[in-house]
Amino acid sequence: MNYNKKTIRDVEVKGKKVLLRCDFNVPRDKQTGEIASDKRIVASLPTIKYLLENGAKVIACSHMGKPKGEFKKELSLAPVAKRLSEYLKMPVKFANDVAGEESAKLAADLKDGEIMLMENVRFNPGEEKNDPEFAKKLAAFGEIYVSDAFGTVHRAHASTAGVAKFLPAYAGFLVERELTVMGDAVDNPKRPLVAILGGAKVSDKIGVISSLIDKADTLIIGGGMAYTFLKSMGKNIGKSLLEEDKIEMAGEVMRKAAEKKIKFLLPVDIAIGDRFAPDCEKRIVDIDNIPDNWMGLDIGDKTIELFGDAVKDAGTVVWNGPMGVFEFPAFANGTKSLAKIISNSNALTIVGGGDSTAAVEQMGFADKITHISTGGGASLEFLEGRELPGIACLMDR
Ligand code: ADP
Ligand code: MG
């Protein structure tokens, strides 16, 4: 895939109507409906401010949650418009429909340097179906299209890809940054490239593992998915997480790693628990000594050192997936220690994945990481080397 895409810096936006796809899919409090974190709104500000300061008329749109094509009050973007206007210190006009009459009226009244937001695009059933009629209707709001919602670029929806059939399409700053940093890490990394993969399931990450085994110099596997690999080596893993149907694939990955002579690391010691609970009994054991009824819930100190050593001389580190059940304080040490090691490294460091990102942020290491990808699923598919519809549809440079 070509990552060298035209951005908003490559086009004169003055006086132009800009259809801007944002990622305003912010978490909401289930009880009160209030915005629980406005991180994504804040992240969208540089692109919006650039467009407004350069005299564009901004028609913003986004999805929120999964309303399945119908109006759902709790998934309305109205609170987002309000919050956004507080940050911009100017009105953000809000249309209660999706590319309907009210949207059209507000858009017609926009002056240069003004912004409006329409209602949740997923209230329209045409959005997720990438219905060309709906895409055309949306596209009619702009003279150019700007994509700044990296979190949804792996979806071929009307507002993320369909509209680009009708409008010249550019990347906003958020998408641009993802493309330059992650694109380089995948295609032209500063070596050695160390990939650290963890999290719950091999099946979620098998695409990334297969892709990175062709690119990385070191592949490190931790977290719940390590046990399927250990099992395929013939180890007794007790009651640890196992994907029976992926044992063979794990073996194949390891054979391939040996063939390619890349460094392949698995845990050598682990923290185990006697059940899956935060207050379970805990022990640290070598990987050959897992008792039958216990389960591995974190990596141990020797493993942290082993993984840490591999990171030390890295040129690029890509990390996706926690090293243990970090939600249980007693088993957060592996993830925490690795986050610390990575944040202190001189390498270009990239963290992707919803839970890994949350872990790094919770632990306070976020600003010492070169790049934290804003898209969970999207960044995984990016690392898999798959073509992303919301990127492919943007104009090449
Ligand atoms: P990400 O969202 O960063 O891609 P995943 O969703 O793949 O990560 O995995 C995160 C989950 O993996 C966490 O909820 C964590 O508790 C779980 N996990 C990590 N290690 C283990 C383990 N040893 N056993 C069970 N679950 C684990
Ligand atoms: Mg996750």
Side-chain angles (χ1 to χ4, degrees):
M1 199 170 80
N2 182 4
Y3 306 122
N4 194 7
K5 296 293 182 178
K6 286 197 180 170
T7 77
I8 44 178
R9 271 185 285 260
D10 297 318
V11 58
E12 175 62 71
V13 298
K14 184 157 178 45
K16 286 214 180 84
K17 291 184 284 176
V18 176
L19 178 68
L20 173 65
R21 177 52 157 99
C22 297
D23 181 0
F24 291 144
N25 184 27
V26 295
R28 304 273 289 269
D29 186 291
K30 281 196 183 69
Q31 252 93 57
T32 64
E34 269 180 50
I35 297 171
S37 159
D38 63 10
K39 218 177 67 189
R40 286 182 169 158
I41 299 175
V42 173
S44 74
L45 293 173
T47 295
I48 294 176
K49 282 185 178 161
Y50 175 91
L51 291 170
L52 294 174
E53 280 161 14
N54 285 282
K57 302 177 173 78
V58 177
I59 297 101
C61 66
S62 172
H63 82 280
M64 183 191 281
K66 295 184 169 139
K68 305 244 159 71
E70 25 182 295
F71 179 83
K72 292 232 166 75
K73 192 171 180 294
E74 68 277 16
L75 294 175
S76 168
L77 287 177
V80 171
K82 189 163 167 274
R83 184 68 56 92
L84 185 59
S85 79
E86 286 163 19
Y87 279 114
L88 293 172
K89 300 192 180 66
M90 64 186 281
V92 173
K93 297 171 187 164
F94 184 70
N96 290 291
D97 58 12
V98 186
E101 271 172 38
E102 195 180 335
S103 299
K105 166 125 204 355
L106 291 185
D109 289 345
L110 276 188
K111 296 192 182 65
D112 292 359
E114 288 186 349
I115 177 169
M116 66 167 280
L117 173 65
M118 63 176 74
E119 190 50 286
N120 189 342
V121 281
R122 287 194 188 165
F123 288 172
N124 188 304
E127 167 65 2
E128 289 187 80
K129 289 189 196 127
N130 196 6
D131 170 20
E133 282 307 310
F134 177 58
K136 200 169 167 183
K137 208 169 151 191
L138 263 179
F141 280 79
E143 291 162 273
I144 67 168
Y145 167 69
V146 173
S147 162
D148 215 22
F150 185 75
T152 48
V153 292
H154 58 316
R155 312 269 182 230
H157 293 169
S159 73
T160 60
V163 287
K165 291 215 169 70
F166 305 101
L167 292 174
Y170 300 86
F173 295 140
L174 280 178
V175 166
E176 179 191 27
R177 170 130 178 101
E178 298 276 358
L179 290 181
T180 35
V181 184
M182 298 240 287
D184 262 2
V186 171
D187 277 356
N188 186 24
K190 189 159 175 274
R191 294 196 178 270
L193 168 60
V194 179
I196 308 168
L197 298 171
K201 287 194 189 152
V202 184
S203 45
D204 286 347
K205 307 272 162 94
I206 194 69
V208 188
I209 298 174
S210 314
S211 154
L212 287 177
I213 208 161
D214 287 326
K215 290 171 176 149
D217 302 291
T218 301
L219 189 56
I220 297 175
I221 309 265
M225 67 169 153
Y227 299 95
T228 300
F229 285 85
L230 292 165
K231 180 78 182 179
S232 92
M233 291 168 69
K235 306 267 186 213
N236 176 23
I237 59 166
K239 284 204 292 187
S240 308
L241 211 59
L242 172 67
E243 281 171 280
E244 204 75 66
D245 59 335
K246 294 288 176 292
I247 297 177
E248 218 180 287
M249 201 178 266
E252 238 156 74
V253 166
M254 288 191 283
R255 271 191 297 282
K256 197 161 176 202
E259 214 173 88
K260 298 201 148 227
K261 299 197 166 59
I262 70 170
K263 202 193 258 180
F264 184 86
L265 300 177
L266 283 168
V268 291
D269 66 338
I270 53 169
I272 54 173
D274 61 345
R275 62 209 154 86
F276 192 81
D279 60 346
C280 66
E281 199 185 317
K282 177 185 163 182
R283 282 190 212 159
I284 309 267
V285 295
D286 280 346
I287 213 69
D288 290 313
N289 297 323
I290 307 176
D292 279 343
N293 286 317
W294 290 59
M295 57 183 80
L297 297 175
D298 195 12
I299 54 174
D301 288 339
K302 286 186 221 162
T303 304
I304 293 169
E305 205 181 315
L306 175 74
F307 291 1
D309 272 346
V311 167
K312 242 174 228 147
D313 64 343
T316 308
V317 179
V318 176
W319 180 23
N320 187 297
M323 292 292 103
V325 184
F326 72 98
E327 297 93 334
F328 300 168
F331 298 95
N333 187 48
T335 302
K336 207 181 228 170
S337 305
L338 203 72
K340 191 168 179 184
I341 291 168
I342 292 175
S343 66
N344 285 330
S345 139
N346 293 322
L348 184 135
T349 51
I350 297 176
V351 179
D355 292 290
S356 342
T357 306
V360 167
E361 276 164 1
Q362 250 173 49
M363 292 164 183
F365 296 121
D367 37 326
K368 287 172 106 192
I369 305 285
T370 313
H371 180 63
I372 296 192
S373 181
T374 50
S379 67
L380 262 187
E381 291 195 21
F382 197 123
L383 293 176
E384 285 174 32
R386 278 207 239 173
E387 179 164 297
L388 305 168
I391 301 296
C393 73
L394 305 179
M395 289 190 295
D396 290 337
R397 247 214 185 109

